[in-house]
């Protein structure tokens, strides 16, 4: 063990830890779930710190040697080298300060190591004065959520939904001549083709993709630059604009400084709006899954209209029974997503005055929803 200090005193930290006293204090304060922040949030924090170091050097307030060491350390975080060094529970300080300082401490200690210093000494790189220069947890964490969410939606969820939409569209063509009974109120109605039903499913997913693309316009505007309460105190007037430009270049995403820092830090409106879209998509997929389960029911004593591929034995007591297990697994995913998004929406009402204090749980729920749906 080694001794490290924060503003509250001395803490014992494991010798092989790159984090410091504030992280260790948070680990002891929040022994709640064992769930830690997501890898996508870790990557987003690394991207912000990397870009901030580059810009602070350009602005003449961070020397080249420290900048290079911080950038190298941030690149290692982005590549996943230090994932196990983020041990703090999701259920922590509402601003995410503990996780922001966790990242700052890792970067500072790794930069110190790169520069030949002693880990834990805060010299020649300090977690606050150099790594967190021009920033506050209050603008960094919401910015990280926006970046992580934008990346996940752009590169994971939308492409996955497009694969699903294309598959449904192909089935609508394949089943175009298959005439069946239409149903309203679960009762027989006028005829319809199976292809027409599948074209409806295709339309649901296409509409969802369009709505998701709309959310990217909201998420592109980030809180960085507002520092503590949105006024931008203790940061360079060009810092946020230039860091956002650097983030956009390194991620190939549209990331820009918000035009209203007080809105960006006191609310999670863009995130809760996105949660609403994702929740709506989960309901669309539940409808599709349940229709398919109904059409495949039986097959002799139910509707028995479609034969679903057998992918696993369906029963421990009835050999030969086949169940719609893929649809059932997706229904459970959708139920989880619905609950997650409700938690995000409930969290939106805790934006008291200048800061929302549910940011870590918001990040966990919204990012898990995107990941498991994708």
């Amino acid at each position: 063990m080694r001794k490290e200090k924060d503003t509250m005193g001395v803490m014992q930290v494991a010798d092989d830890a790159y984090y410091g006293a504030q992280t260790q204090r948070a680990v002891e304060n929040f022994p709640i779930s064992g769930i830690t922040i997501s890898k996508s949030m870790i990557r987003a924090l690394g991207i912000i710190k990397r870009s901030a170091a580059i810009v602070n050097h350009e602005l003449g307030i961070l020397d080249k040697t420290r900048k290079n060491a911080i950038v190298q350390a941030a690149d290692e975080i982005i590549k996943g080298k230090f994932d196990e060094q983020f041990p703090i529970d999701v259920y922590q300080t509402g601003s995410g300060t503990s996780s922001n300082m966790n990242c700052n401490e890792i970067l500072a200690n790794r930069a110190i190591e790169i520069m030949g210093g002693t880990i834990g000494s805060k010299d020649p790189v300090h977690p606050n004065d150099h790594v967190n220069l021009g920033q506050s947890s209050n603008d960094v964490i919401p910015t990280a959520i926006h970046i992580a969410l934008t990346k996940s939606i752009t590169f994971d969820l939308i492409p996955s939904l497009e694969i699903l939409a294309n598959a449904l569209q192909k089935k609508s063509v394949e089943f175009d001549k298959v005439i069946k009974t239409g149903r309203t109120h679960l009762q027989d109605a006028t005829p319809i083709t199976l292809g027409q039903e599948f074209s409806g499913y295709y339309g649901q997913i296409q509409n969802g993709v369009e709505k998701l693309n709309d959310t990217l316009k909201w998420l592109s505007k980030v809180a960085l630059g507002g520092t503590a309460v949105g006024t931008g105190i203790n940061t360079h007037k060009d810092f946020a604009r230039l860091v956002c430009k650097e983030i956009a270049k390194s991620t190939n995403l549209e990331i820009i400084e918000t035009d209203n820092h007080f809105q960006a830090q006191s609310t999670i409106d863009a995130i809760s709006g996105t949660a609403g879209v994702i929740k709506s998509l989960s309901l669309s997929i539940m409808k599709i899954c349940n229709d398919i389960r109904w059409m495949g029911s039986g097959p002799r004593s139910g509707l028995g209209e479609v034969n679903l591929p057998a992918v696993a034995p369906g029963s421990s007591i009835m050999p030969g029974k086949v169940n719609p297990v893929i649809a059932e697994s997706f229904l459970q995913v959708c139920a989880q997503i619905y609950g997650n998004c409700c938690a995000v929406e409930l969290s939106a009402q805790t934006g008291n005055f200048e800061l929302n204090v549910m940011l870590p749980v918001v990040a966990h729920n919204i990012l898990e929803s995107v990941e498991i749906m994708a």
Side-chain angles (χ1 to χ4, degrees):
M1 304 293 285
R2 67 176 188 266
K3 291 182 180 179
E4 284 213 27
K5 292 182 180 180
D6 61 11
T7 56
M8 296 185 69
V10 176
M11 291 293 293
Q12 293 281 341
V13 181
D15 278 335
D16 60 354
Y18 280 88
Y19 55 77
Q22 288 203 43
T23 299
Q24 184 61 41
R25 197 178 296 280
V27 169
E28 294 179 14
N29 280 340
F30 310 115
I32 298 173
S33 70
I35 302 169
T36 55
I37 66 168
S38 68
K39 290 180 181 179
S40 56
M41 273 294 285
I42 294 172
R43 308 288 181 269
L45 286 169
I47 289 166
I48 292 169
K49 303 299 177 179
R50 181 187 193 279
S51 301
I54 291 169
V55 168
N56 281 326
H57 174 64
E58 290 173 356
L59 293 172
I61 54 179
L62 185 68
D63 65 89
K64 185 176 181 180
T65 305
R66 286 188 178 95
K67 182 267 289 187
N68 287 344
I70 293 170
V71 167
Q72 181 180 333
D75 283 337
E76 291 172 349
I77 279 182
I78 293 165
K79 291 174 183 176
K81 181 176 178 180
F82 294 105
D83 286 354
E84 76 285 352
Q85 295 287 324
F86 287 84
I88 302 171
D89 207 276
V90 162
Y91 303 99
Q92 56 170 278
T93 173
S95 61
T97 298
S98 297
S99 287
N100 184 43
M101 283 307 303
N102 188 176
C103 188
N104 291 334
E105 289 176 337
I106 294 169
L107 287 170
N109 278 326
R110 176 58 181 138
I112 289 169
E113 185 177 56
I114 290 166
M115 295 173 70
T118 302
I119 288 179
S121 65
K122 297 185 173 65
D123 181 45
V125 181
H126 194 284
N128 296 86
D129 299 342
H130 301 121
V131 180
N132 203 55
L133 181 58
Q135 305 149 63
S136 163
S137 301
N138 297 355
D139 62 354
V140 165
I141 295 299
T143 298
I145 299 173
H146 276 227
I147 292 170
L149 192 49
T150 299
K151 280 187 68 180
S152 294
I153 289 172
T154 301
F155 299 124
D156 297 324
L157 183 53
I158 287 178
S160 296
L161 287 167
E162 287 174 341
I163 290 170
L164 175 60
N166 289 336
L168 291 168
Q169 186 179 38
K170 287 179 182 177
K171 287 296 181 185
S172 73
V173 174
E174 179 185 340
F175 298 151
D176 185 51
K177 305 297 184 185
V178 180
I179 299 172
K180 59 173 295 240
T181 299
R183 292 183 183 85
T184 58
H185 306 270
L186 292 182
Q187 306 297 306
D188 295 347
T190 56
I192 192 173
T193 70
L194 187 58
Q196 287 169 328
E197 280 189 326
F198 269 77
S199 74
Y201 307 151
Y202 162 73
Q204 282 186 283
I205 304 304
Q206 278 295 95
N207 288 342
V209 170
E210 289 178 17
K211 293 173 188 173
L212 277 177
N213 278 314
D214 284 340
T215 70
L216 297 176
K217 302 171 189 174
W218 319 332
L219 295 170
S220 66
K221 298 179 180 181
V222 300
L224 199 67
T227 63
V229 294
T231 61
I233 192 170
N234 287 348
T235 195
H236 192 285
K237 63 181 178 64
D238 295 324
F239 173 81
R241 176 179 60 82
L242 293 174
V243 173
C244 288
K245 185 177 179 181
E246 181 65 32
I247 291 170
K249 183 174 76 173
S250 67
T251 61
N252 200 29
L253 297 169
E254 184 180 356
I255 300 293
I256 58 175
E257 181 184 1
T258 180
D259 54 5
N260 189 325
H261 282 279
F262 306 102
Q263 177 273 330
Q265 284 183 218
S266 65
T267 78
I268 57 164
D269 288 354
I271 300 169
S272 62
T274 303
V277 170
I278 294 170
K279 186 169 71 173
S280 176
L281 255 169
S282 74
L283 295 176
S284 294
I285 294 168
M286 290 184 96
K287 184 265 195 294
I288 296 168
C289 288
N290 277 322
D291 275 11
I292 289 172
R293 290 171 65 238
W294 271 110
M295 284 189 281
S297 64
R300 285 171 291 278
S301 298
L303 298 181
E305 292 179 339
V306 298
N307 293 317
L308 299 179
V311 298
S315 174
S316 61
I317 195 174
M318 295 171 283
K321 189 175 189 292
V322 175
N323 297 328
V325 294
I326 302 299
E328 288 171 2
S329 69
F330 213 154
L331 285 172
Q332 292 173 81
V333 166
C334 290
Q336 183 65 51
I337 289 169
Y338 191 92
N340 286 353
C341 291
C342 286
V344 171
E345 291 166 343
L346 181 62
S347 298
Q349 62 85 36
T350 60
N352 308 120
F353 303 113
E354 278 66 63
L355 182 70
N356 184 286
V357 292
M358 301 278 274
L359 296 177
V361 79
V362 165
H364 171 69
N365 280 281
I366 193 73
L367 291 167
E368 181 185 67
S369 295
V370 171
E371 179 184 345
I372 61 178
M373 181 178 282

